[in-house]
């Protein structure tokens, strides 16, 4: 988990990363507010705190040929791949203008045009699916890599182990990225896992495994760039244990009493947005005023998304029979 | 008598059976320290300790299989599935092993395992998290399947299930855990395989199980205002099925409406409707009607998700049809 120097990056690149992370943070805050107002229902899993993982990773792939799959905690990935916040918020509101026409909701964001193959609600289900997407890329010779995000909880599903073995023996270009936020619902990793460093599991499948500092967007970007390059050229899988933290409860209904305030505060000190901001200030890539302005813009983006969602039409009743078969 | 919620009735059953028989233990995701995703197991970890109340990793196939092994080796595991949607991962162990152990061993083995958790639609959860999956389970010889909808039945059936020497699957409902009702102070059991007439009537029989019981009772009230006296038969057990109680009622009322929140094809509802047509043909004054969910995956949008499920209005409409009320 080596530290990085911001110096080698140009201002625009850094500003883009910062913008994306701020966009996600402000979007999630709005989503929480709208949940409180009952505009959004069901399970709503927020991404606050984990922004660097989606943003740093997505910056390292080529969405023209690479694919991304993730779990139900998918708002951050959806925004990072460039989905319109309006369309994402509309989906959370269950509106016709949402990406899944109001059928999928918070847990099932998809954008096939951006090679974003979804939010999956079944813990671990996306792991073999991503493996199959990588298989298809290899089969068709597209040079594409599949980037598969899943939680620390998902790693104990048989699907994870079956997939790694398949990908290793068949030489599939897939990156298995554990978003290790240290908890699966209320369960701390160490209570249910034989090891705390998941990267060691890679050895069992004879593939590369590394731990990554997921609070630092540039570390994530650099590790992923290397992993993507390797997966693409060698057509081999790898496993990355990206350490991060979720600031909110598991979903909106979870008061998160299983962890201490101090632990949360400790991670907030390494907040991915503040970390990048500090570097950019130090390197003269950003002023406090520019940051404020950018932040305000992202608050407006989130607010505009809410307005768009509010004003959008409900799906018509007869649409229940649509999207079931061709 | 005490007026308690279904979740508390279930907990009482677990507590009483764990006190009565030390072979009984409970395991599942979040059942211990978090007190259960739906708080059914609240306090059990404190009372019985981590040796008998076990938090599992997210590995449904693994821990359900472990339960099967423990059961054939002399214990009485209660496996909590966080929801039946996730239990789909465990079905291999339930269908291929739990249900078959006695048969494959020529009667040498028994597998006294109870698998329980919420089944059926909840709210705003879309296709993967809102499914009524009982049809898959009732299909399987070797399993018993129970589906209570009141605190009294929930407690009495869970106690019977734990004492039963066969594998028993118990369907609960997320939406019904807070429903309250009278439960006796003294110990009692509800036998598996006995339906219960929840409301007596002479004009039409409504046959129902699980959470739609409330819809049926409400429909019966509305029908009373229209001078139609409906009898409500709550199946409670789906396998074995209490055919006699169904036929007795239908032979009295000569009309039947079957209600099932599952999809229509190869369901409890369609099977019961066939049984009635087959066994009460001469006594029927109208064709049997089935009120079930639309044959589509659950949409997220709230208006749509309500529209695809059985409702009081749909039940009343079906009753009018079998009573030829225009
Ligand atoms: C197969 C399955 N089992 C259980 C659940 C319920 N569930 C949803 S999220 C979750 C915890 C997952 O934790 P983790 O993989 O660490 O992801 P995180 O929520 O932390 O992002 C559980 C148990 C589910 N959705 N699917
Ligand atoms: Mg986690």
């Amino acid at each position: 988990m080596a530290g990085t120097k911001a110096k080698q990056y140009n201002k625009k690149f850094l500003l883009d990363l910062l913008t994306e992370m701020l966009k996600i943070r402000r979007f999630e805050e709005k989503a929480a507010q709208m949940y409180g107002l009952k505009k959004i229902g069901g399970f709503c899993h927020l991404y606050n705190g984990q922004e660097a993982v989606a943003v740093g990773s997505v910056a390292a792939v080529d969405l023209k040929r690479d694919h991304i799959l993730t779990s139900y905690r998918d708002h951050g990935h959806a925004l990072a791949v460039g989905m319109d916040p309006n369309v994402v918020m509309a989906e959370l509101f269950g509106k016709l203008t949402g990406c899944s026409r109001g059928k999928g909701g918070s847990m099932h964001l998809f954008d096939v045009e951006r090679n974003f193959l979804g939010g999956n609600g079944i813990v671990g289900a996306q792991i073999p699916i991503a493996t199959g997407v990588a298989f298809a890329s290899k089969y068709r010779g597209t040079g594409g890599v599949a980037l598969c995000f899943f939680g620390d909880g998902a790693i104990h599903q048989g699907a994870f182990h079956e997939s790694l073995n398949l990908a290793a023996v068949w030489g599939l270009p897939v990156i298995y990225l554990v978003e290790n936020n240290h908890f699966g619902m209320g369960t701390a990793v160490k209570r249910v896992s034989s090891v705390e460093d998941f990267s060691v599991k890679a050895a069992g499948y004879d593939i590369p495994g590394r731990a990554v500092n997921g609070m630092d967007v540039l570390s994530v970007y650099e590790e992923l760039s290397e992993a993507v390059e390797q997966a693409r050229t060698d057509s081999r899988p790898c496993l990355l244990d990206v350490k991060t933290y979720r600031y909110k409860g598991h979903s909106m209904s979870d008061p998160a009493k299983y962890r201490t305030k101090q632990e949360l505060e400790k991670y907030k000190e390494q907040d991915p947005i503040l970390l990048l901001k500090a570097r950019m200030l130090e390197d003269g890539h950003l002023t406090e005023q520019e940051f404020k302005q950018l932040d305000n813009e992202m608050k407006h983006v989130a607010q505009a998304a809410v307005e768009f969602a509010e004003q959008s039409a409900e799906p018509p009743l007869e649409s229940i029979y649509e999207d079931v078969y061709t | 008598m005490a007026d308690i919620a279904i979740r508390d009735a279930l907990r009482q059953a677990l507590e009483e059976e764990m006190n009565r028989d030390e072979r009984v233990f409970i395991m599942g995701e979040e059942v211990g320290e978090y007190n259960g995703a739906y708080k059914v197991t609240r306090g059990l970890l404190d009372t019985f300790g981590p040796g008998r109340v076990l938090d599992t990793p997210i590995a449904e196939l693994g821990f359900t299989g472990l339960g099967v092994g423990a059961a054939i080796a002399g214990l009485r595991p209660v496996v909590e599935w966080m929801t039946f949607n996730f239990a789909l991962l465990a079905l291999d162990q339930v269908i291929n092993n739990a249900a078959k152990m006695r048969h494959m061993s020529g009667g040498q083995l028994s597998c006294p395992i109870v698998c329980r958790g919420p089944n059926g639609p909840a709210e705003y959860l879309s296709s993967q998290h809102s499914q009524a999956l009982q049809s898959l389970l009732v299909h399987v010889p070797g399993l018993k399947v129970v589906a209570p909808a009141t605190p009294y039945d929930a407690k009495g059936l869970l106690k019977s299930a734990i004492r039963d020497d066969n594998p028993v699957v118990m369907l609960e409902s997320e939406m019904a855990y807070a429903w309250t009702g009278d439960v006796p102070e003294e110990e009692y059991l509800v036998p598996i395989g006995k339906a219960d007439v929840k409301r007596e009537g002479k004009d039409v029989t409504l046959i129902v199980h699980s959470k739609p019981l409330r819809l049926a009772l409400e429909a019966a009230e509305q029908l009373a205002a229209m001078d139609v006296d409906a009898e409500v038969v709550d199946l409670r057990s789906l396998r074995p099925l209490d055919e006699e109680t169904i036929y007795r009622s239908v032979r009295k009322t000569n009309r039947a409406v079957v209600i099932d929140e599952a999809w229509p094809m190869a369901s409890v509802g369609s099977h019961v409707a066939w049984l009635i047509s087959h066994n009460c043909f001469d006594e029927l004054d109208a064709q049997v009607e089935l009120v079930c969910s639309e044959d589509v995956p659950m949409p997220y949008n709230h208006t749509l998700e309500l529209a695809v499920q059985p409702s009081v209005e749909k039940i009343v409409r079906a009753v009018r049809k079998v009573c030829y009320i225009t």
Side-chain angles (χ1 to χ4, degrees), chain A residues 72-73 121 123 151-154 157 181 183-184 250, chain B residues 29 60 82 86:
Chain A
Y72 46 83
R73 195 179 299 286
V123 168
D152 45 274
Q157 289 284 23
N181 59 16
F183 289 93
H250 168 73
Chain B
E29 293 155 16
E60 287 82 3
M82 194 176 277
F86 318 144

Side-chain angles (χ1 to χ4, degrees), chain A residues 41-43 91-92 94 102-105 107-108 120-122 156-157 184-187 191-192 254 314-315 319-321, chain B residues 30 33-34 38 55-60 82 86 89 123-126 128-129 294 296-297 299-301 303-304 307-308:
Chain A
F43 295 149
E91 189 58 39
L92 305 195
K103 299 256 177 108
M107 297 191 283
H108 307 298
N120 202 306
I122 303 303
H156 307 300
Q157 289 284 23
M185 269 190 187
T187 304
R191 291 180 49 224
V192 287
D254 170 27
E314 295 273 328
S319 74
I320 61 175
Y321 303 110
Chain B
E30 308 289 349
E33 289 195 11
Y34 200 72
Y38 299 101
D55 280 320
T56 64
I58 306 166
E60 287 82 3
M82 194 176 277
F86 318 144
L89 279 85
E123 284 186 304
Y124 302 94
L125 294 178
S126 188
Q128 291 182 326
H129 273 71
E294 294 293 321
V296 299
Y300 167 78
N301 176 279
T303 309
L304 298 193
V308 310

Side-chain angles (χ1 to χ4, degrees), chain B residues 194-197 205 231 233-234 242-250:
Chain B
K194 280 268 161 272
D196 185 39
V197 176
T205 301
E231 177 146 305
V233 174
D234 177 5
D242 181 0
E243 294 181 28
E244 273 321 303
T245 300
I246 299 171
Y247 303 152
R248 199 179 315 120
S249 178
V250 174

Side-chain angles (χ1 to χ4, degrees), chain B residues 155-166:
Chain B
K155 180 173 179 183
L157 278 170
L158 182 52
K159 285 170 67 82
S160 293
I162 292 171
R163 295 183 194 188
D164 201 290
D165 284 333
N166 300 285

